[in-house]
Coordinates of all heavy atoms in Angstrom, one line a residue:
Q145 N 87.2 90.9 106.1 CA 86.3 89.8 106.0 C 84.9 90.2 106.5 O 83.9 89.8 106.0 CB 86.8 88.6 106.6 CG 88.0 88.0 105.8 CD 88.6 86.7 106.5 OE1 88.1 86.3 107.5 NE2 89.6 86.2 105.9
A146 N 84.9 90.9 107.7 CA 83.7 91.4 108.2 C 82.9 92.3 107.3 O 81.7 92.2 107.1 CB 83.9 92.1 109.6
V147 N 83.7 93.2 106.6 CA 83.0 94.1 105.6 C 82.5 93.3 104.5 O 81.3 93.6 104.1 CB 84.0 95.2 105.2 CG1 83.5 95.9 104.0 CG2 84.4 96.1 106.3
V148 N 83.2 92.4 103.9 CA 82.7 91.5 102.8 C 81.5 90.8 103.2 O 80.5 90.7 102.5 CB 83.9 90.6 102.3 CG1 83.3 89.6 101.4 CG2 85.0 91.4 101.7
E149 N 81.5 90.2 104.4 CA 80.4 89.4 104.9 C 79.2 90.3 105.1 O 78.0 90.0 104.8 CB 80.7 88.7 106.2 CG 79.6 87.9 106.8 CD 79.1 86.8 105.9 OE1 79.9 86.3 105.1 OE2 78.0 86.3 106.1
R150 N 79.4 91.5 105.7 CA 78.3 92.5 105.8 C 77.7 92.8 104.5 O 76.5 92.9 104.3 CB 78.8 93.7 106.6 CG 77.7 94.6 107.0 CD 78.2 95.8 107.9 NE 79.1 96.6 107.2 CZ 80.2 97.1 107.7 NH1 80.6 96.7 108.9 NH2 81.0 97.9 107.0
Y151 N 78.5 93.0 103.5 CA 78.0 93.3 102.1 C 77.3 92.1 101.6 O 76.3 92.3 100.9 CB 79.2 93.8 101.2 CG 78.7 94.0 99.8 CD1 77.8 95.1 99.5 CD2 79.0 93.1 98.8 CE1 77.3 95.3 98.2 CE2 78.5 93.3 97.5 CZ 77.7 94.4 97.3 OH 77.2 94.6 96.0
R152 N 77.8 90.9 101.7 CA 77.2 89.7 101.2 C 75.8 89.5 101.8 O 74.9 89.2 101.0 CB 78.1 88.5 101.5 CG 77.6 87.3 100.7 CD 78.5 86.1 101.1 NE 78.4 85.6 102.5 CZ 77.3 85.0 102.9 NH1 76.3 84.7 102.2 NH2 77.2 84.6 104.2
T153 N 75.7 89.8 103.0 CA 74.4 89.6 103.7 C 73.4 90.7 103.5 O 72.2 90.5 103.6 CB 74.5 89.3 105.2 OG1 75.2 90.4 105.8 CG2 75.3 88.0 105.4
N154 N 73.9 91.9 103.3 CA 73.1 93.1 103.1 C 73.8 94.1 102.2 O 74.5 95.0 102.6 CB 72.8 93.7 104.4 CG 71.8 94.9 104.3 OD1 71.3 95.2 103.2 ND2 71.5 95.6 105.4
P155 N 73.6 93.9 100.9 CA 74.4 94.8 99.9 C 74.1 96.3 100.1 O 75.0 97.1 99.7 CB 73.9 94.3 98.5 CG 73.3 93.0 98.8 CD 72.8 93.0 100.2
R156 N 73.1 96.7 100.7 CA 72.8 98.1 100.9 C 73.8 98.8 101.9 O 74.0 100.0 101.9 CB 71.4 98.3 101.4 CG 70.4 97.8 100.4 CD 69.0 98.1 100.8 NE 68.7 99.5 100.4 CZ 67.7 100.2 100.8 NH1 66.8 99.6 101.6 NH2 67.5 101.4 100.4

Side-chain angles (χ1 to χ4, degrees):
Q145 288 179 2
V147 168
V148 168
E149 180 62 23
R150 190 170 65 225
Y151 176 69
R152 190 182 67 73
T153 59
N154 186 2
R156 297 185 82 192

